[in-house]
Amino acid sequence: MATSLRKLQFGAAAASFLLVSLLVLRVSSAAFTAQTPNENNAWSAGQVALSDSRGSGNAMFDVSGMVPGQTVSRCINVTYTGTASNARVRLYAPTVTGTLASHLNVTVTPGSFSSHTYPNCTGFTASGGAAVNGMALNTFGATHGSFANGVANWDTSGSPQSRGYRFDVTLSSGAPSSAQGTSAGATFTWEVQTYVP
Amino acid sequence: MSAPLKTPRPDHLGWPAAVIFFVCTVYVQLMVWLALWAGLPTALGMTPTLILSDSMKPFISAGDVVVIGPVGDAPLKRGTVVTFDDPAQPGNLLTHRIVERNADGTYDTRGDANADEDSTPVKHSEIRGKGRILVPAVGIPVLWIRTKAVLPLAAWLGGLALALAYLSAQRRRLLALTGALVAAARGPWLRDPGARRPGRMRTAAPKLASVTLPALVVIVALLVPRTLASQAAFAANRPNGTNAFAAASSFCTPASFTLVATADARVEQARPTTNYGLDQALNVVSRTLNVNGGNGDHYTLVRFDLPARPAQCTMSATLRLHPTTVTAGRTLWAGRASATWAETGVTWNTSPAIEGAVASLTTPSTLTPFNFDVTTQVGAHYAGTNTGFLVRDSVSNNSNGNQQQIFVSREGAVGSRPELILTFS
């Protein structure tokens, strides 16, 4: 059956215009309607994720009775388990509190483990120099407190992929007697973000 | 009058061709409308933003274009999708959803597909705009170019080229047929310019087809330089929280020392040039000096080698002398010697005096050890030179007879030698 070309053209234009406009309006409304994001809405494509060797424990350090010159060490293994190929991992200290923090010197050295029992450092081998070398804990928090100025930058090259970290925390030998009985608290966070290559 | 036509009218198609024509037109038109939705709002001051990754799924995917409009100064509500300068990766743009407005005016944001919030809050001034229009998939070819996805790009361009070629071929065919008809229809009126000409055969199809391609080109030219590219970064973090460090209540490593004198000697006023350093007796006497010599005062000098002082400790020090003779009720003084002295050389004439504070002691009547609290004096030794101690009666040349104490020197019996007890705690 013969069909008017003109009618076809107009029909096609109208149909596609309606289609597109309805689609745009619908998805715009869905995306931009103010809503509370679902906490568990994890998508499978290009996801990033980290795990570490703590298991069920939380903090690496819980030390008391420190005297000047004393060093405590802990080692931890961090693993990238995401699917995104352009992933970058950094370490930073978002929260540092307490007056003792200015007398605690922190050294963080990345490396790898031949074998690892958290939090021991047996089996750890450093690779390259320290990412943080004897920096006061309060300075660490002030200058490396977010991903943007995080340390120990690690661009992953596969998944799963692991990296070990050794933390040495020393109470400075020059700590004054006013530091006796004081304390400090800190959070060390590893974060992975995708980046534009 | 027109000749009767046996073939279908030139602006008509058979149904198979009609379907293909319809599909090709819709295919091209879809992209035109999508591009228009993304590009035209630029005229209203909005900005198309190409989304580069999937962290805002399921609503916004890579390849979508989010057209953002300006934000004012008023606080933004939770759930608003905003494009902002990524504080965690300077130089990049991020398009995420506001989760919370903080007390300091910054916003916590999160990609819908991320398990964790973005770790760095966003300042209001860093926000470029808020999402107004979502144009799905229109930016996918640009993504293909960025990621050098040659195959999909070639397939899409191929399909587009084929559709446009088909539409253009139909147009040419129509124009050729229409031109012949007009000439035929016009023929009889050519010699009569005053006669009314028939209306030109409408060819709506060629007009639309010839408008589509230029429109597409114009829109792309408008869009490409104005489009921002926004990373919707995936992020996840592992906090290692509440690491606790507590200093000891005291930095002192406690220690105690019982030291035996390393030098001691008595000096006698009546024998002012005689050294008694190797004698077994140390005397403290207060007695009138005879005009012809004899009697007079006796002083004791004693010195100890001090150990390295432990840091951060409180010290206490006791000088202990073991008597063989006591005179009760006397006030004795022990103090820091004002100068160094040699055990085998010091005499009354060359003896130092007491410098600074004195430790006092009232003598008992029994032969029990005499303990002087010399904490201050030992502190002065550590701060300066270790000159030892001088012990004497508080009264010089007492006129009431022989007020004497006699102690065992370091040359005497073990266990009775002069001692310095140091305690650090």
Side-chain angles (χ1 to χ4, degrees):
Chain A
M1 183 176 191
T3 318
S4 157
L5 200 64
R6 185 193 327 161
K7 286 186 192 152
L8 258 181
Q9 188 77 38
F10 183 76
S16 58
F17 174 72
L18 271 168
L19 207 77
V20 168
S21 300
L22 280 172
L23 178 70
V24 167
L25 289 170
R26 193 172 73 81
V27 298
S28 302
S29 162
F32 301 140
T33 302
Q35 59 188 277
T36 310
N38 185 345
E39 290 290 338
N40 297 319
N41 190 17
W43 205 255
S44 58
Q47 195 183 12
V48 294
L50 288 176
S51 67
D52 61 52
S53 54
R54 277 177 292 170
S56 58
N58 190 8
M60 284 185 292
F61 290 97
D62 190 2
V63 189
S64 56
M66 290 190 83
V67 292
Q70 179 185 356
T71 300
V72 284
S73 299
R74 299 281 186 275
C75 283
I76 189 169
N77 203 30
V78 176
T79 304
Y80 171 67
T81 58
T83 53
S85 56
N86 50 323
R88 168 173 289 160
V89 182
R90 288 185 186 158
L91 167 68
Y92 56 93
T95 312
V96 174
T97 57
T99 54
L100 190 62
S102 59
H103 304 295
L104 291 167
N105 294 330
V106 182
T107 297
V108 181
T109 315
S112 58
F113 292 97
S114 55
S115 62
H116 176 51
T117 307
Y118 174 81
N120 299 331
C121 287
T122 326
F124 175 82
T125 311
S127 56
V132 177
N133 200 354
M135 180 183 288
L137 181 58
N138 61 338
T139 308
F140 187 11
T143 56
H144 303 291
S146 67
F147 186 87
N149 47 35
V151 297
N153 190 83
W154 166 30
D155 288 351
T156 62
S157 55
S159 176
Q161 196 173 70
S162 293
R163 214 185 200 200
Y165 296 85
R166 180 186 171 118
F167 283 72
D168 299 300
V169 180
T170 305
L171 179 52
S172 161
S173 342
S177 48
S178 56
Q180 290 170 138
T182 61
S183 59
T187 304
F188 302 113
T189 298
W190 282 269
E191 178 167 338
V192 58
Q193 283 196 12
T194 52
Y195 62 95
V196 181
Chain B
M1 90 192 108
S2 55
L5 293 167
K6 293 196 175 62
T7 53
R9 284 171 52 191
D11 63 344
H12 281 58
L13 287 172
W15 75 262
V19 167
I20 298 171
F21 194 91
F22 186 82
V23 166
C24 286
T25 308
V26 168
Y27 179 56
V28 173
Q29 293 279 348
L30 268 175
M31 286 181 279
V32 172
W33 296 129
L34 279 175
L36 276 172
W37 270 106
L40 279 183
T42 311
L44 298 168
M46 298 205 250
T47 310
T49 307
L50 174 64
I51 303 297
L52 298 176
S53 82
D54 280 336
S55 72
M56 280 297 284
K57 282 187 101 142
F59 294 112
I60 304 174
S61 307
D64 294 351
V65 164
V66 171
V67 184
I68 58 176
V71 295
D73 295 324
L76 298 165
K77 288 195 288 210
R78 298 177 73 196
T80 309
V81 174
V82 286
T83 299
F84 50 93
D85 298 304
D86 187 351
Q89 296 197 41
N92 283 345
L93 288 178
L94 200 52
T95 301
H96 275 180
R97 192 183 301 273
I98 290 175
V99 172
E100 202 64 63
R101 182 167 183 269
N102 301 317
D104 62 358
T106 62
Y107 301 97
D108 290 340
T109 54
R110 190 166 76 86
D112 290 349
N114 281 344
D116 300 309
E117 278 178 24
D118 300 324
S119 57
T120 310
V122 184
K123 298 197 191 102
H124 191 103
S125 55
E126 288 167 335
I127 295 178
R128 302 277 194 111
K130 65 177 180 179
R132 293 294 201 175
I133 304 167
L134 172 58
V135 188
V138 66
I140 289 180
V142 183
L143 266 194
W144 286 333
I145 294 171
R146 284 180 75 109
T147 58
K148 299 183 176 51
V150 176
L151 271 166
L153 196 59
W156 172 70
L157 281 172
L160 187 59
L162 276 170
L164 287 172
Y166 182 81
L167 291 173
S168 156
Q170 289 298 332
R171 178 169 67 107
R172 265 188 268 111
R173 188 174 73 81
L174 281 168
L175 272 175
L177 287 170
T178 311
L181 263 179
V182 167
R186 245 194 229 150
W189 285 276
L190 272 175
R191 288 182 291 276
D192 185 357
R196 201 160 177 248
R197 276 213 240 166
R200 207 157 46 99
M201 176 96 49
R202 289 296 216 91
T203 49
K207 264 199 194 131
L208 270 173
S210 66
V211 158
T212 301
L213 194 55
L216 206 57
V217 170
V218 166
I219 289 160
V220 167
L222 271 175
L223 259 183
V224 167
R226 290 169 194 270
T227 303
L228 306 173
S230 170
Q231 168 79 313
F234 286 101
N237 58 51
R238 287 292 285 179
N240 189 302
T242 332
N243 289 281
F245 305 89
S249 50
S250 166
F251 289 162
C252 172
T253 308
S256 285
F257 304 87
T258 302
L259 307 166
V260 175
T262 50
D264 60 12
R266 70 173 185 274
V267 293
E268 297 187 7
Q269 188 178 23
R271 307 272 190 282
T273 57
T274 308
N275 170 269
Y276 296 96
L278 297 175
D279 204 78
Q280 289 193 1
L282 295 170
N283 298 348
V284 174
V285 173
S286 179
R287 195 175 187 186
T288 312
L289 185 64
N290 268 351
V291 164
N292 302 323
N295 299 339
D297 289 344
H298 295 186
Y299 293 165
T300 286
L301 288 161
V302 62
R303 189 170 65 234
F304 304 84
D305 285 347
L306 295 174
R309 183 171 186 169
Q312 308 283 8
C313 290
T314 309
M315 177 188 68
S316 73
T318 304
L319 170 65
R320 177 171 295 167
L321 300 171
H322 297 266
T324 54
T325 300
V326 296
T327 305
R330 300 301 305 172
T331 300
L332 299 191
W333 286 349
R336 182 165 181 258
S338 58
T340 55
W341 46 272
E343 182 181 54
T344 52
V346 67
T347 65
W348 177 266
N349 281 348
T350 62
S351 168
I354 285 181
E355 172 187 83
V358 297
S360 295
L361 176 147
T362 305
T363 57
S365 54
T366 53
L367 290 176
T368 50
F370 287 18
N371 295 311
F372 294 87
D373 181 355
V374 290
T375 302
T376 309
Q377 291 78 4
V378 173
H381 288 331
Y382 273 118
T385 317
N386 180 8
T387 53
F389 306 92
L390 187 144
V391 186
R392 52 163 287 180
D393 194 291
S394 58
V395 174
S396 298
N397 302 114
N398 168 63
S399 54
N400 288 349
N402 185 11
Q403 312 296 331
Q404 69 169 357
Q405 331 291 333
I406 302 180
F407 307 102
V408 178
S409 79
R410 76 184 190 96
E411 288 77 16
V414 170
S416 299
R417 296 168 184 173
E419 292 161 328
L420 181 67
I421 297 110
L422 290 178
T423 311
F424 297 95
S425 60

